[in-house]
Amino acid sequence: MDRKHVNDWLAAYERVWRTPGTNDLVTLFTEDASYQQGPYWTPVVGLPAIARMWEKQRKGPDEVFQMTSEIVAVEGDTAVSRQEVRYGEPVEQEYRDLWIMRFADDGRCRSFEEWPFWPGQQPANPADGSIEQ
């Protein structure tokens, strides 16, 4: 696995998200892939289940959004990227995600985990870093 392959995979992910249907998911994920939408979420396992989740999550292939990706790390079969996604025009919702991807020998993702963050989420501690007691 190298940065070029990960960059190509990220571009393909966006392209498939913008494509009608879910037939092209087979180019991204292995048949038995695991897709976890948050660090504590139950993973969706298997290509048919990922396809159902995919269609349920998106508004459609013509959904208006802009996505930028930055590869943070690649080591062995594992890559981490930072995504920024802004939905709507004007922007109605935005996310910053960390994606952890583990790839099979054929270059498709066998394990996908995202850590989504969005405006309005606040830490338990005050902004100044002090801890209220």
Side-chain angles (χ1 to χ4, degrees), residues 48-62:
I50 292 170
R52 286 190 299 275
M53 177 271 303
W54 189 275
E55 285 293 21
K56 191 175 188 178
Q57 292 296 315
R58 66 180 179 172
K59 291 181 181 175
D62 57 347

Side-chain angles (χ1 to χ4, degrees), residues 24-35:
D24 290 342
L25 284 174
V26 71
T27 66
L28 296 176
F29 297 100
T30 61
E31 192 64 38
D32 61 346
S34 169
Y35 192 121

Side-chain angles (χ1 to χ4, degrees), residues 34 42 49 54 58 67-69 76 80 87 105-106 120 123-124 127:
S34 169
T42 302
W54 189 275
R58 66 180 179 172
M67 185 169 98
T68 58
S69 302
V80 178
Y87 290 95
D105 290 340
D106 67 2

